[in-house]
Amino acid sequence: MTVGGITVASTYYYRLSATSTGSGCTSPIVSTGSSLQVVADPTLTAATRTNSISCQGGSTIYTSSLSNGTGTVTYQWQYSADGSSFSNVVGGTPTGATYTNPNTTSLTVANISLVGTYYYRLSATSTGSGCTSPAVSTAATVQVVADPSVTASGATTICSGLTANLSSSGSNGTGTMSYQWQYYNGSTWVNTGTNSNSYTTQSLAVTTDFRCLYSGTGPGCTTATTNTVTV
């Protein structure tokens, strides 16, 4: 007997009954029972990630988990540039991408250098009889933004003993963004303690170089440095 088409998850019991018409035959006789456990089809939780936005070169960890199903399970993370057409992850796609543990429930995506929004999902294939395969998770996105950039400007010529007003303008990056003005003391750059995009120098008696650093706390964000402003 072949059993198929059961749609309700449960345990079912089957046995064979045989009836003989011969004189004196014990009838019917029944076999020892055997059970069949029917489990729900495999499903994957929606993919989650450690961060939804990163700078170029940053990293993100995606996770999903499998429920139900039976048999041996194989996992494969997949990538899409548009959220509809997915293919198995391959190093270098998108540009610069590297992948760690693409055949587990936790994938690390790093080093994407091309600005854009990218989609990742997990596919799971179960070998159990009747299991819907593959099961796929809902995709999760990561937005890769440009690294921070910044420029500086301001008064470049003053009389001895006066102050100068400098300003900087930062763009791109992600996370908490911050400024740090510095001056050059002849051997090294020294923080001024001013953490805004504008800066008024102390009274100056000698020609002095200034610059501003602009940084973000987002994954992969580098620290941008302005041009040097000589006052």
Side-chain angles (χ1 to χ4, degrees), residues 40-64:
D41 278 330
T43 58
L44 286 163
T45 59
T48 60
R49 73 288 204 213
T50 51
N51 49 272
S52 59
I53 304 177
S54 114
C55 282
Q56 295 164 288
S59 64
T60 304
I61 299 174
Y62 288 85
T63 57
S64 179

Side-chain angles (χ1 to χ4, degrees), residues 22-227:
S23 176
C25 291
T26 301
S27 204
I29 58 174
V30 293
S31 68
T32 302
S34 182
S35 64
L36 171 66
Q37 183 182 7
V38 177
V39 298
D41 278 330
T43 58
L44 286 163
T45 59
T48 60
R49 73 288 204 213
T50 51
N51 49 272
S52 59
I53 304 177
S54 114
C55 282
Q56 295 164 288
S59 64
T60 304
I61 299 174
Y62 288 85
T63 57
S64 179
S65 60
L66 182 73
S67 299
N68 306 317
T70 186
T72 302
V73 180
T74 56
Y75 296 101
Q76 177 63 60
W77 282 94
Q78 299 178 329
Y79 153 82
S80 173
D82 59 12
S84 60
S85 178
F86 284 84
S87 57
N88 294 346
V89 296
V90 176
T93 303
T95 304
T98 59
Y99 299 107
T100 305
N101 301 321
N103 303 118
T104 70
T105 57
S106 181
L107 170 75
T108 299
V109 181
N111 301 317
I112 297 175
S113 58
L114 182 64
V115 171
T117 298
Y118 307 103
Y119 301 77
Y120 291 90
R121 72 181 187 184
L122 179 61
S123 172
T125 301
S126 298
T127 61
S129 176
C131 289
T132 301
S133 278
V136 292
S137 71
T138 301
T141 63
V142 62
Q143 181 184 3
V144 178
V145 299
D147 282 327
S149 60
V150 65
T151 58
S153 61
T156 56
T157 304
I158 60 174
C159 291
S160 178
L162 297 182
T163 62
N165 294 319
L166 307 178
S167 64
S168 62
S169 177
S171 60
N172 303 320
T174 184
T176 302
M177 307 302 297
S178 61
Y179 294 87
Q180 175 60 64
W181 284 93
Q182 297 179 322
Y183 70 92
Y184 192 68
N185 66 4
S187 61
T188 188
W189 288 96
V190 180
N191 291 343
T192 65
T194 299
N195 300 310
S196 71
N197 66 325
S198 60
Y199 172 58
T200 300
T201 70
Q202 300 295 318
S203 298
L204 300 176
V206 296
T207 298
T208 307
D209 290 334
F210 295 89
R211 70 181 187 182
C212 186
L213 309 182
Y214 182 64
S215 59
T217 59
C221 292
T222 57
T223 297
T225 304
T226 67
N227 50 296

